[in-house]
Amino acid sequence: MKLDRLIGILNTLLQHDRVTSPCLAEKFEVSRRTINRDIDTLCRAGIPIVTYKGMGGGISIAEGFKFDKRLLTVGELSDIIAALKGIGSVSDYTRIERTLDKLGANADAVVSLSEPIIIDLASHYKGHLTEKIAAIKQGILEKRVISFDYFYEKGETTRRIEPYIVVFQWTSWYVFGFCQNRQDWRMFKLNRLWNLVVQEEQFSVRDIPPEKKQWGTHLRDELKLVAVFDPSVKYLLIEAYGLDCFHETEGGLMFEIGFTNRSYMIGWLLGFGEKVKVLEPADVAEEIADTARKVAALY
C-alpha cells in the first residue's frame, strides 16, 4: 500500500544521512519512477526533502527537521515492534517482516528487533485462522458483505454480516459486525465460523452505537456458578481466573463466577473430575451427575 511505503521511506530517510533512489526502489520493491513520485508526495505533505545530484548524491531530510522532530520515540517503536510480532502469528508474516525492517532503529534511538517479549496469538489451527482473518480484513477494507456457516449450541446457521472489526478477547478471536439476518450488531467466534466467502455485495458504513463498542457486553455472564474445588487444583483456578476467584473454607475452595456459555462451563467442570462439586445451578449439577453415570456405563 502506498501509505505503508511512504511511512517506510520517511523512516528510512530519518535513519540515514543520505539514500539513493535505486536503494529505495530495491528496498520497497518498486520502480525508481514510483520512488520519485513518492518523494514528491512527501514534499507536498510538508516534509523538507533535499536531493543531491552527481557522485555521492542522493536523497535526505533537511538537518533541522531530522533532529528536531521525531516520528516515534524508543518506547513507541518497541511497542509497535512487539505488537507486530504478535500480529505476525496470525497474519502474513512476510509483510510483517518488511514492516519491521522499515521500523528499525534510527541513529539516535536504538531499538532491538529482538524484543524480550514473545506474543503468539495463534491456535492449533493457525492456517485456517490466518485465512479467515485475511478474508475478513478484505471485507472490511472493501466494505463487502461476508457470509459463513456458523456452529453453536443450538445447531448450525448461515449468516451474512457487514464486517467492521476483528476482536481478540479472552483467548479467542471474534468478528464484530452488523448481521443482516438478525438486523443487529453481533460477535461471531472465528473457530466456529467456516466456509467464509467475501461477497460482491457492498455495504454502506453504519455508525456503531457507543454501547455496542463495549465488546464485553456481547459476551454476557448470564450463568452464575457456585462450586467447591479440592485444594489440589488451586493452581488451575488461579491460572484461569486469578488469585481472587475463590476463598478457602474447611470444605475446600469456594468458587463463584459468571459464565456466558452453559455447554462450555459444563465441559470445563467435567475436566476436574472428582475434584469439584457443583452447588449451583442445580440443573448443571444434575447434568454433570448424569454425564458421569453415562461415562461409568461405558466402562
Side-chain angles (χ1 to χ4, degrees):
M1 293 178 63
K2 182 175 181 178
L3 180 58
D4 293 337
R5 191 172 64 248
L6 290 174
I7 293 173
I9 291 173
L10 189 52
N11 272 283
T12 300
L13 293 175
L14 286 168
Q15 294 167 29
H16 303 282
D17 290 332
R18 195 171 297 184
V19 183
T20 65
S21 291
C23 178
L24 290 173
E26 181 179 357
K27 182 179 181 67
F28 296 100
E29 301 175 353
V30 294
S31 67
R32 291 177 62 180
R33 180 175 295 179
T34 297
I35 292 296
N36 290 336
R37 285 199 296 266
D38 288 342
I39 295 300
D40 288 338
T41 299
L42 291 172
C43 288
R44 289 197 300 271
I47 308 298
I49 294 178
V50 181
T51 58
Y52 300 89
K53 298 185 180 296
M55 184 68 66
I59 306 167
S60 68
I61 294 180
E63 194 70 16
F65 178 89
K66 182 173 182 179
F67 288 103
D68 293 341
K69 297 182 180 179
R70 297 283 179 78
L71 286 182
L72 299 169
T73 66
V74 177
E76 288 168 339
L77 277 172
S78 296
D79 290 343
I80 290 172
I81 290 168
L84 285 171
K85 288 188 174 183
I87 294 170
S89 65
V90 290
S91 299
D92 178 359
Y93 201 72
T94 302
R95 293 184 62 189
I96 299 297
E97 285 180 320
R98 288 203 296 267
T99 305
L100 286 171
D101 183 57
K102 297 172 190 176
L103 292 174
N106 62 35
D108 303 305
V110 177
V111 177
S112 172
L113 294 182
S114 301
E115 278 288 312
I117 300 173
I118 297 175
I119 305 173
D120 190 345
L121 302 177
S123 69
H124 67 278
Y125 75 118
K126 175 183 175 180
H128 293 294
L129 181 62
T130 301
E131 293 170 4
K132 290 176 184 177
I133 291 177
I136 294 170
K137 181 180 177 181
Q138 178 189 351
I140 293 170
L141 294 177
E142 297 178 3
K143 298 180 179 58
R144 296 187 183 277
V145 171
I146 62 173
S147 64
F148 50 83
D149 295 330
Y150 196 67
F151 299 84
Y152 66 126
E153 58 186 280
K154 294 182 180 179
E156 178 182 346
T157 183
T158 299
R159 296 293 180 93
R160 293 172 65 89
I161 75 167
E162 302 165 8
Y164 279 73
I165 192 168
V166 175
V167 181
F168 182 78
Q169 185 165 7
W170 298 345
T171 74
S172 297
W173 289 93
Y174 300 83
V175 58
F176 173 78
F178 187 83
C179 179
Q180 294 184 342
N181 304 73
R182 296 290 183 265
Q183 287 297 297
D184 197 6
W185 300 92
R186 290 287 191 274
M187 290 257 283
F188 297 92
K189 203 170 189 176
L190 293 198
N191 62 1
R192 295 182 182 176
L193 180 161
W194 295 91
N195 301 321
L196 188 153
V197 177
V198 180
Q199 303 290 338
E200 291 298 320
E201 177 190 346
Q202 291 189 295
F203 61 88
S204 299
V205 176
R206 304 171 188 263
D207 291 329
I208 304 175
E211 66 274 11
K212 297 293 185 178
K213 294 181 181 180
Q214 303 299 317
W215 313 125
T217 62
H218 299 276
L219 307 170
R220 296 183 294 273
D221 293 337
E222 298 175 343
L223 303 169
K224 182 180 180 182
L225 170 69
V226 181
V228 179
F229 286 82
D230 187 271
S232 64
V233 298
K234 178 193 291 188
Y235 72 101
L236 292 174
L237 297 180
I238 292 173
E239 176 184 323
Y241 295 102
L243 282 171
D244 301 325
C245 68
F246 61 85
H247 63 271
E248 299 187 23
T249 68
E250 291 184 1
L253 307 177
M254 185 62 66
F255 178 88
E256 298 184 27
I257 202 166
F259 273 84
T260 300
N261 187 294
R262 188 176 189 276
S263 60
Y264 171 80
M265 176 177 68
I266 291 174
W268 182 72
L269 290 166
L270 286 170
F272 288 92
E274 78 284 1
K275 301 294 185 181
V276 60
K277 180 178 181 179
V278 175
L279 303 181
E280 297 177 22
D283 63 316
V284 170
E286 178 54 37
E287 183 169 341
I288 289 176
D290 185 54
T291 300
R293 286 189 289 267
K294 291 177 180 177
V295 171
L298 291 176
Y299 296 94

